[in-house]
């Protein structure tokens, strides 16, 4: 803490890092055991039973089909058109065929219902399994992040913690090489990513031949990234707001260099997401989506490879769009699986829910980080009344808890996103198609941004609990907040474009 | 900063948050309902598209102007924020031009009137 000596900060950092890491790891393990093992096993049992039920119904359906074929063969031999045939057995057989066909119709409905139940059971199982695994995975990374950075910070010489204990230099240099180290690590990771993905896939499939070597470049990159993050943490944790670098030349003269830097960085990010978005729009103009098919059909316009003159004629003769759509062999987008009225027909309230909840989660998290900044900049904090007063009794607790809420909402975003991906993949919407490729790359890139933001947020929660945020160093929350709002802003575009349109 | 401007006792961040939540509800609702609620009138796809774009602009403005402080901050940050718009517009133009229907399918106002330049014999 803020008022303690330098060594006090050092020891607190190490102990607090371990305590927080232990708490997070414990929560992650409990969540994984609860969701990913206990509930998921119950759901898997349901799924296994639903597979058996489907097989049973399917066998019954197939068996009735064979029975009908046999009866029809017998019926051909007893055809009254044949002179030697007897009419009475023929009629009895015809009646029997009708009965079996009625049974087959009922069996088909039972089989379809069983299939529907099987799909529902599979998706339900995936929900809990993927949620549990994601929480565990995220928890392990949070824990490793806290332990590694806490350990490195505790080896920091005492004087490095001392810039806020009197006698500080207003003109102290606060530059850092950490962003360059981090960027270099990212470069290495991305350079090795194709091999990394192949190698990881090989390892997951049980093959080790050549797989470990494939991981090397990216693993070196990840190690450099970790070193960059840890070093950044080590440098920034004791920072109490003194010595902020000020730009000395136009156009940012007099402004904080960090603020100008984060804005320029965000603008480069705009370009990254604009590239995904324009690639998507460009490809979409060529796709025969259900939307395009419907609009052109209603307008009576033929489109090469999508709406034919036969479609238009059939539509004008009274056929529905839904009845004509399968013959168009159109392209399915993620929204066709997710939104009500989508071409696949599986979309309803529940399939829309994860994306909608995530949208609200990001907006709420944007607000909570603004509240954290507002409290940090407050000179005379007054605890609110009621339940909020108990949650936010002091300025320190209020800032920390608003940041924890933001962290929790962001983590929920990642969990729901992976659950949603698992459902889409299970339903056949994979990265192997053009539509799947741009969907998973764009939403995945956004997810990576959210996850990177969560790691920074974890650090900010940690700082809130140790060194503390106040009026002097609140710009740290403000600048990170700009990034977090940008991530929200990117989702404002991605959500309607990929999930609703 | 926006926290000093109070409306009905609440700061601008609170009201911005409320507006963002309401508009997100509109956004999801526009796609969720296939007919205008309480009527048999179908919601056309172009209406949904219009709603999504308008809601996107309002939400983008709310987040950029108030949560990211561009409304109050020095104008240089707004200029930096708007700078990539040039490239985004260029990309959109490129999408139009590279579309197979770009030659004949685009409306007249975004295609040059080459016919007027043809030498008459």
């Amino acid at each position: 803490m803020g008022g303690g000596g330098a060594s006090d900060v050092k020891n607190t950092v190490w102990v607090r890092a371990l305590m927080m890491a232990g708490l997070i790891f414990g929560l992650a393990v409990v969540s994984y055991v609860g969701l990913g093992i206990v509930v998921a096993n119950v759901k898997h049992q349901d799924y296994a039973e639903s597979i058996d039920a489907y097989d049973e119904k399917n066998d019954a359906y197939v068996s009735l089909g064979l029975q009908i074929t046999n009866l029809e063969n017998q019926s051909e031999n007893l055809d009254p058109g044949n002179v030697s045939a007897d009419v009475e057995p023929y009629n009895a057989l015809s009646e029997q065929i009708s009965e079996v066909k009625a049974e087959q119709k009922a069996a088909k409905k039972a089989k379809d219902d069983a299939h529907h139940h099987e799909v529902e059971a599979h998706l339900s199982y995936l929900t809990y399994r993927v949620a549990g695994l994601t929480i565990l995975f995220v928890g392990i990374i949070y824990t490793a992040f806290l332990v590694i950075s806490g350990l490195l910070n505790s080896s920091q010489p005492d004087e490095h913690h001392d810039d806020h204990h009197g006698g500080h230099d207003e003109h102290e240099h606060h530059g850092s090489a950490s962003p360059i180290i981090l960027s270099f690590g990212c470069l290495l990771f991305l350079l090795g990513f194709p091999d990394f993905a192949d190698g990881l896939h090989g390892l997951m499939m049980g093959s080790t031949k050549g797989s470990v070597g494939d991981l090397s470049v990216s693993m070196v990159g990840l190690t450099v990234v970790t070193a960059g993050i840890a070093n950044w943490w080590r440098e920034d944790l004791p920072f109490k707001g003194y010595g902020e670098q000020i730009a000395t030349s136009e156009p940012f003269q007099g402004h904080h260099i960090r603020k100008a830097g984060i804005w320029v960085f965000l603008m480069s990010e705009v370009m990254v997401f604009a590239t995904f978005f324009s690639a998507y729009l460009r490809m979409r103009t060529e796709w025969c989506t259900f939307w395009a098919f419907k609009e052109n059909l209603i307008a009576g316009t033929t489109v090469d490879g999508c709406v034919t003159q036969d479609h238009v004629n059939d539509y004008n003769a009274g056929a529905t769009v839904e009845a004509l759509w399968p013959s168009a062999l159109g392209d399915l987008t993620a929204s066709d699986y997710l939104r009500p009225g989508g071409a696949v027909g599986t979309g309803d309230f529940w399939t829309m829910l994860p994306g909608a909840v995530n949208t609200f989660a990001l907006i709420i998290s944007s607000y909570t980080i603004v509240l954290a900044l507002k409290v940090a900049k407050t000179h005379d904090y007054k605890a609110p009344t009621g339940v909020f007063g108990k949650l936010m009794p002091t300025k320190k607790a209020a800032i920390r808890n608003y940041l924890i809420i933001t962290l929790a909402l962001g983590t929920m975003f990642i969990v729901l996103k992976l659950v949603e991906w698992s459902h889409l993949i299970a339903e056949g919407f994979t990265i192997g198609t053009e539509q799947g490729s741009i969907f998973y790359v764009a939403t995945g890139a956004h997810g990576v941004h959210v996850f990177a933001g969560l790691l920074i947020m974890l650090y900010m929660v940690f700082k809130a609990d140790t060194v503390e945020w106040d009026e002097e160093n609140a710009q740290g929350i403000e600048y990170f907040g700009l990034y977090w709002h940008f991530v929200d802003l990117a989702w404002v575009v991605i959500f309607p474009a990929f999930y609703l349109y | 900063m926006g926290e000093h401007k109070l409306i009905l006792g609440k700061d601008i961040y609170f009201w911005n948050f409320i507006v963002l939540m309401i508009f997100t509800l509109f956004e999801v609702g526009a796609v969720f309902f296939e007919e205008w609620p309480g009527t048999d009138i179908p919601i056309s796809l172009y209406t949904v598209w219009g709603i999504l774009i308008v809601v996107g602009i309002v939400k983008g403005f709310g987040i950029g102007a108030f949560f990211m402080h561009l409304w109050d901050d020095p104008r240089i940050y707004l200029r930096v924020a708007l700078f990539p718009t040039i490239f985004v517009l260029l990309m959109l133009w490129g999408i139009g031009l590279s579309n197979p229907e770009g030659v004949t399918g685009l409306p007249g106002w975004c295609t040059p009137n080459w016919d007027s330049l043809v030498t008459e014999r």
Side-chain angles (χ1 to χ4, degrees):
Chain A
M1 329 246 316
S7 58
D8 183 27
V9 171
K10 186 180 78 173
N11 293 333
T12 304
V13 164
W14 174 229
V15 175
R16 288 273 180 174
L18 259 191
M19 282 171 60
M20 202 182 278
L23 183 68
I24 287 175
F25 188 67
L27 279 173
V29 170
V30 168
S31 302
Y32 171 65
V33 171
L35 292 173
I37 295 180
V38 177
V39 182
N41 281 353
V42 171
K43 295 288 176 184
H44 192 264
Q45 185 64 30
D46 286 349
Y47 175 45
E49 284 170 12
S50 70
I51 291 174
D52 291 342
Y54 171 73
D55 287 345
E56 194 182 312
K57 305 286 181 196
N58 191 43
D59 288 349
Y61 174 73
V62 172
S63 158
L64 286 167
L66 289 173
Q67 206 175 328
I68 289 169
T69 310
N70 284 336
L71 289 170
E72 281 175 345
N73 287 341
Q74 290 174 35
S75 166
E76 274 178 25
N77 296 333
L78 297 173
D79 190 341
N82 186 339
V83 181
S84 62
D86 193 351
V87 176
E88 202 171 308
Y90 176 80
N91 287 345
L93 207 52
S94 297
E95 200 175 316
Q96 199 181 347
I97 289 172
S98 301
E99 282 171 13
V100 178
K101 277 188 174 173
E103 271 182 59
Q104 192 200 30
K105 197 177 172 186
K108 184 176 187 314
K109 188 179 179 310
K111 181 187 81 130
D112 290 345
D113 287 347
H115 177 63
H116 181 70
H117 181 63
E118 182 199 342
V119 172
E120 292 282 308
H122 185 209
L123 295 184
S124 180
Y125 159 69
L126 279 177
T127 300
Y128 292 98
R129 183 81 178 145
V130 173
L133 278 171
T134 308
I135 293 171
L136 181 68
F137 178 70
V138 168
I140 288 172
I141 292 183
Y142 286 177
T143 304
F145 182 72
L146 280 167
V147 170
I148 293 170
S149 299
L151 185 69
L152 284 171
N153 196 69
S154 71
S155 63
Q156 174 92 331
D158 285 358
E159 57 268 27
H160 283 251
H161 291 289
D162 209 22
D163 67 343
H164 57 290
H165 297 294
H168 56 265
D169 181 5
E170 294 289 348
H171 303 290
E172 185 189 355
H173 178 69
H174 190 65
S176 168
S178 301
I180 297 170
I181 299 170
L182 182 66
S183 304
F184 183 65
C186 289
L187 174 74
L188 283 179
F189 176 75
L190 292 174
L191 271 177
F193 188 74
D195 284 344
F196 181 77
D198 278 349
L200 207 59
H201 184 255
L203 284 176
M204 285 168 74
M205 296 292 118
S207 156
T208 51
K209 195 179 177 184
S211 300
V212 177
D214 288 343
L215 303 180
S216 55
V217 177
S218 281
M219 289 306 288
V220 171
L222 281 177
T223 308
V224 175
V225 165
T226 308
I229 292 172
N231 194 51
W232 207 337
W233 167 312
R234 195 176 67 101
E235 290 170 337
D236 190 77
L237 190 68
F239 181 59
K240 292 286 285 178
Y242 307 120
E244 182 75 54
Q245 280 189 298
I246 306 291
T248 54
S249 58
E250 290 295 345
F252 292 104
Q253 191 171 19
H255 297 289
H256 286 181
I257 283 182
R258 285 201 297 166
K259 184 166 183 173
I262 190 84
W263 268 110
V264 172
F265 167 70
L266 291 183
M267 292 313 102
S268 70
E269 291 282 69
V270 169
M271 297 307 300
V272 171
F273 281 98
T275 309
F276 292 138
F277 195 66
S278 55
Y280 170 63
L281 285 183
R282 177 64 188 83
M283 287 198 277
R284 182 139 184 163
T285 57
E286 301 252 309
W287 294 342
C288 179
T289 61
F290 183 64
W291 271 42
F293 182 75
K294 188 175 179 180
E295 287 302 307
N296 285 297
L297 200 61
I298 291 171
T301 315
T302 59
V303 178
D304 281 347
C306 189
V307 184
T308 63
Q309 191 58 47
D310 288 345
H311 287 135
V312 175
N313 294 342
D314 290 346
Y315 180 72
N316 290 336
T320 61
V321 179
E322 287 75 14
L324 295 171
W325 163 248
S327 65
L329 295 174
D331 300 308
L332 294 173
T333 61
S335 71
D336 284 324
Y337 289 85
L338 296 171
R339 68 180 163 79
V344 178
T346 52
D348 59 13
F349 175 79
W350 297 106
T351 53
M352 281 278 290
L353 197 62
V357 168
N358 273 350
T359 307
F360 285 109
L362 279 189
I363 289 173
I364 296 169
S365 72
S366 266
Y367 184 50
T368 49
I369 200 158
V370 163
L371 290 175
L373 174 63
K374 189 179 150 187
V375 174
K377 285 192 167 182
T378 307
H379 293 284
D380 50 342
Y381 175 75
K382 291 188 185 79
T385 52
V387 180
F388 270 95
K390 287 181 182 167
L391 282 173
M392 323 277 182
T394 61
K395 180 175 174 175
K396 175 184 173 180
I399 298 169
R400 185 195 57 207
N401 292 347
Y402 279 131
L403 291 173
I404 287 175
I405 294 169
T406 315
L407 180 74
L409 287 165
T411 306
M412 186 180 81
F413 181 94
I414 296 289
V415 172
L416 286 179
K417 172 155 287 301
L418 289 182
V419 166
E420 184 186 74
W421 276 18
S422 72
H423 285 199
L424 284 170
I425 292 167
E427 289 181 88
F429 186 71
T430 65
I431 201 166
T433 63
E434 267 186 36
Q435 296 75 27
S437 170
I438 188 69
F439 172 80
Y440 289 110
V441 168
T443 58
H446 179 264
V448 167
H449 279 76
V450 172
F451 191 64
L454 290 175
L455 290 180
I456 303 170
M457 190 99 63
L458 188 63
Y459 160 72
M460 296 179 72
V461 170
F462 188 75
K463 184 163 179 172
D465 200 44
T466 50
V467 176
E468 298 183 28
W469 297 100
D470 55 29
E471 308 92 279
E472 301 295 335
N473 65 358
Q475 67 268 35
I477 301 179
E478 182 185 347
Y479 302 157
F480 170 71
L482 288 174
Y483 172 81
W484 194 250
H485 297 314
F486 169 77
V487 170
D488 186 9
L489 202 54
W491 188 248
V492 164
V493 178
I494 288 173
F495 178 60
F498 287 92
Y499 287 72
L500 305 182
Y501 171 44
Chain B
M1 299 289 288
E3 63 263 32
H4 301 307
K5 299 168 191 163
L6 297 182
I7 304 165
L8 297 174
K10 298 284 185 184
D11 61 27
I12 195 73
Y13 299 134
F14 173 81
W15 292 114
N16 189 42
F17 169 64
I18 298 293
V19 167
L20 289 173
M21 294 292 274
I22 291 171
F23 271 82
T24 304
L25 271 179
F26 275 148
E27 191 176 39
V28 177
V31 176
F32 190 75
F33 293 108
E34 292 185 60
E35 293 168 346
W36 293 101
T39 70
D40 295 332
I41 306 166
I43 303 175
S44 82
L45 300 178
Y46 287 112
T47 308
V48 174
W49 218 28
I51 291 172
L52 295 184
I53 289 172
V54 169
V55 168
I57 291 170
V58 171
K59 285 173 68 177
F61 176 79
I63 293 169
F66 302 112
F67 281 171
M68 297 175 93
H69 309 129
L70 285 174
W71 191 263
D72 290 324
D73 270 354
R75 284 288 168 263
I76 181 64
Y77 294 112
L78 180 64
R79 284 183 213 133
V80 173
L82 291 179
F83 183 66
T85 311
I86 300 165
F87 297 100
V88 173
L89 289 175
L90 278 174
M91 281 185 185
L92 290 174
W93 193 39
I95 291 167
L97 290 181
S98 63
N99 190 301
E101 289 187 17
V103 180
T104 54
L106 290 174
W109 54 265
C110 62
T111 53
N113 183 13
W114 298 113
D115 292 346
S116 67
L117 302 176
V118 174
T119 306
E120 290 184 15
R121 298 187 180 195

